[in-house]
Amino acid sequence: AAVADAARVLQFQPSQLARSLRTSTTHTVGFVVPDVSSPFYAAALKGAQTTLHDAGYRTLLMDCEQSAEREVEALQTLLAHRVDGLLVSTVGLGRERFEERVWEWLHEYGGKILVQFRRMGASLDYERTRFTMDEAYVRAVMRFFVHLYRKGWIYRANRIINWCPYHQTSLS
């Protein structure tokens, strides 16, 4: 009681870190990008940061400067800070290592969102939750795309695109 009274008198406000210990959420999303000076990533980050800020989240940017080693370090740092989400544009991590990292994150932190939904009283079917990279989910999505292709509702075709040598990607 004396500590609470002193906190009120001093108008103490707990920091975001202190609140995260109580709520088990950091309200932080981490970004790992290969080149922060790239106009492509700058625009994407600005849009994501604005959206996240409006939702009450902070952003933590990690520039790996086109280095796979720095990318791994950045991911480890963000995971150590227990961020609530990750947006990653991989350089040289490779699909297998990236998927391994995603599964590690999911197993350690993935249930937070469902806990938050339950606390809010969201009426969801918690028995049928799926993760984007679940094998069964991926197979179902592939089957559905094949179905749409056979119906003629989606198609593959050659199209003219622009290749950006600076970003090493296609732009449409």
Side-chain angles (χ1 to χ4, degrees):
V3 173
D5 291 339
R8 257 191 308 283
V9 168
L10 296 171
Q11 297 179 342
F12 172 75
Q13 293 294 320
S15 68
Q16 182 65 35
L17 179 60
R19 280 192 293 276
S20 72
L21 293 173
R22 182 177 50 85
T23 63
S24 296
T25 181
T26 60
H27 289 286
T28 304
V29 173
F31 294 99
V32 179
V33 296
D35 182 8
V36 74
S37 65
S38 159
F40 172 77
Y41 291 115
L45 292 170
K46 182 175 182 179
Q49 187 172 17
T50 300
T51 303
L52 288 165
H53 181 266
D54 292 346
Y57 283 84
R58 294 176 302 149
T59 54
L60 186 56
L61 174 63
M62 305 293 280
D63 181 10
C64 59
E65 298 177 358
Q66 302 287 345
S67 165
E69 290 174 10
R70 291 200 59 190
E71 184 175 295
V72 170
E73 290 172 14
L75 284 170
Q76 289 171 339
T77 300
L78 291 169
L79 291 173
H81 280 85
R82 301 174 54 118
V83 294
D84 292 333
L86 287 171
L87 295 172
V88 181
S89 179
T90 63
V91 172
L93 193 60
R95 183 175 177 86
E96 291 80 22
R97 277 187 78 192
F98 175 71
E99 284 187 20
E100 182 182 309
R101 289 286 187 181
V102 169
W103 281 105
E104 287 174 15
W105 181 88
L106 176 70
H107 291 306
E108 190 164 347
Y109 305 107
K112 281 184 183 181
I113 295 169
L114 294 177
V115 169
Q116 291 170 354
F117 280 148
R118 282 189 171 111
R119 284 183 187 157
M120 291 187 303
S123 177
L124 303 173
D125 185 353
Y126 294 99
E127 300 299 317
R128 297 189 329 161
T129 59
R130 294 288 175 263
F131 178 55
T132 309
M133 296 170 76
D134 280 339
E135 282 287 323
Y137 185 78
V138 170
R139 280 194 307 273
V141 169
M142 292 298 277
R143 274 197 313 269
F144 187 68
F145 270 89
V146 168
H147 169 77
L148 294 176
Y149 176 77
R150 288 181 178 154
K151 290 260 190 193
W153 294 341
I154 61 173
Y155 57 91
R156 292 179 67 170
N158 293 327
R159 296 284 184 250
I160 296 175
I161 61 165
N162 297 305
W163 177 257
C164 179
Y166 179 79
H167 296 109
Q168 297 286 306
T169 191
S170 60
L171 306 172
S172 60

